[in-house]
Amino acid sequence: MATKCKKCGKIHFPPVADCGECLSSDMEWIELSSEATIEAFTHVVVRPLTFQDEKPYTVAIGRLKEGVRVLAWLVGFKPFEIKVGMPAKLTVIEKDGNPIYVFTKPE
Ligand SMILES: [Zn+2]
């Protein structure tokens, strides 16, 4: 879910209460399509302390059909499969009891 400004139409993800574009507080909820195009990615081998228990992972920026950019882990791809411009699906998984966003292969 994201918020859309009723005044200027700007879509915010993560959702916000006030529009950063026109400062209006007149927002509505919209459901995002989850269809994304990968714009940038990086393989993280030297992990920060809080991720020492993780295997090396890939972080990507994807642009959703609605135009918003999302930063999330990319899961389920082999490293050589990952390319800028490829389609991916934004989905929610549970990790250590918390919901997190990840990009996965589209069906
Ligand atoms: Zn606005």
Side-chain angles (χ1 to χ4, degrees):
M1 297 296 285
T3 49
K4 182 178 180 181
C5 175
K6 284 187 179 175
K7 197 173 160 198
C8 74
K10 168 114 175 135
I11 297 171
H12 300 270
F13 182 85
V16 295
D18 301 300
C19 180
E21 203 71 15
C22 71
L23 307 179
S24 169
S25 298
D26 197 9
M27 305 291 258
E28 62 181 342
W29 287 100
I30 60 162
E31 193 170 345
L32 296 171
S33 66
S34 83
E35 289 172 46
T37 302
I38 298 305
E39 288 193 328
F41 64 89
T42 184
H43 298 301
V44 181
V45 177
V46 180
R47 278 100 58 209
L49 271 182
T50 45
F51 292 114
Q52 285 297 308
D53 296 339
E54 303 286 343
K55 292 195 174 81
Y57 54 90
T58 304
V59 177
I61 294 173
R63 188 182 171 92
L64 298 187
K65 214 165 68 174
E66 291 78 8
V68 293
R69 290 192 171 92
V70 180
L71 177 73
W73 284 26
L74 201 57
V75 299
F77 292 88
K78 299 202 168 57
F80 65 83
E81 294 178 321
I82 303 169
K83 291 181 177 66
V84 167
M86 74 174 188
K89 182 176 185 246
L90 185 68
T91 184
V92 180
I93 62 165
E94 195 186 305
K95 188 174 167 60
D96 304 327
N98 298 310
I100 61 163
Y101 288 101
V102 293
F103 288 115
T104 59
K105 285 190 178 181
E107 284 100 45

